[in-house]
Amino acid sequence: MAASAISTSAAPAQQSISIRAPDGDSIAADEYGAGPRAVVLAHGGRFDKGSWKDQASALAKAGFRVVAIDFRAAVQTRAGIETPCLYDPECLAIDVLAAVRYLRQGGATSVAVVGGSLGGGAAAQASVVADSGEIDRVVLLAAMSIEHPERMKGRKLFITTRDDLGPGDVPRLRAISDQFQKAPGPKELIILDGSAHAQFIFATPAGSRLLAEILRFLSDSGTE
């Protein structure tokens, strides 16, 4: 799909929704678009559901139903409540799976998850614990590592910048490459120029390519 076609159509209206978690708690989310192809957007630690507005609108214009969630652990942290869940992929994956199942119950015939940084770790872990066929594709933007990447399911797109530095100025590409090598196919690894981390890439010159690669990957009709 051409980028010009995406940018000229009107964006479907956003609505705020509440998704029921397995423990009965509520997960706040924003929903965009409609249709049988769905995408869950999982934010990084320094972001929230609203940070996906531009990307969610572009995906909705491309024909996807999109749900951007607010991790409950992030909401608690912003309120000054410490929680060990914030950087725990297994804990965060619960919120991702709740959103995936909300979309499946709403008629989605395919569901992908796009996650940045800690949200990427949550997306990866969700693909591990999900039932077969629940999550069709995952896009991992400089994703936090998970314990068993070899158990991931579905098609996988790993994306990072070449010079993104983590704690101690250690290049994140090392851990991401290791996760990529261990993950089963089908899979892709894209390394962009620059040093921006995860969702921050969208605000750099590489941002337009990042969005284009995500749209290409989600729109590709290929199957396992």
Side-chain angles (χ1 to χ4, degrees):
M1 178 175 296
S4 59
I6 295 169
S7 63
T8 56
S9 58
Q14 168 195 331
Q15 61 175 334
S16 296
I17 61 171
S18 180
I19 297 171
R20 187 176 179 84
D23 62 3
D25 197 5
S26 295
I27 302 165
D30 293 333
E31 187 167 2
Y32 304 74
R37 298 182 303 164
V39 182
V40 175
L41 300 178
H43 65 80
R46 295 165 67 179
F47 293 89
D48 59 17
K49 60 184 175 64
S51 64
W52 291 108
K53 183 176 180 180
D54 291 345
Q55 293 78 42
S57 295
L59 287 165
K61 291 175 190 177
F64 292 94
R65 181 183 177 193
V66 184
V67 167
I69 64 171
D70 241 351
F71 283 111
R72 289 175 291 166
V75 173
Q76 291 176 321
T77 300
R78 292 195 292 268
I81 303 170
E82 292 188 12
T83 169
C85 184
L86 187 60
Y87 289 97
D88 181 347
E90 293 186 11
C91 185
L92 294 170
I94 294 171
D95 290 8
V96 171
L97 270 180
V100 168
R101 289 166 180 168
Y102 162 82
L103 288 164
R104 287 288 185 184
Q105 291 164 7
T109 58
S110 69
V111 180
V113 182
V114 179
S117 196
L118 71 81
Q125 183 62 29
S127 80
V128 170
V129 299
D131 293 335
S132 181
E134 276 194 302
I135 298 175
D136 299 280
R137 304 168 192 238
V138 287
V139 178
L140 308 175
L141 309 181
M144 177 172 60
S145 296
I146 63 171
E147 187 173 356
H148 292 291
E150 72 278 4
R151 298 180 185 173
M152 291 176 62
K153 305 180 190 76
R155 296 169 63 87
K156 306 151 202 77
L157 174 60
F158 293 72
I159 307 181
T160 188
T161 54
R162 190 176 307 280
D163 300 317
D164 180 4
L165 300 179
D169 288 339
V170 175
R172 286 192 171 95
L173 181 56
R174 296 179 188 173
I176 292 167
S177 295
D178 180 67
Q179 295 268 301
F180 174 76
Q181 291 298 326
K182 292 177 180 177
K187 59 186 178 181
E188 298 178 49
L189 171 61
I190 295 176
I191 302 172
L192 303 173
D193 291 334
S195 60
H197 178 56
Q199 284 173 261
F200 288 108
I201 302 171
F202 289 113
T204 73
S208 58
R209 182 186 170 194
L210 173 58
L211 180 57
E213 293 288 4
I214 292 171
L215 284 163
R216 171 195 61 79
F217 178 76
L218 296 182
S219 301
D220 183 3
S221 60
T223 58
E224 289 191 72

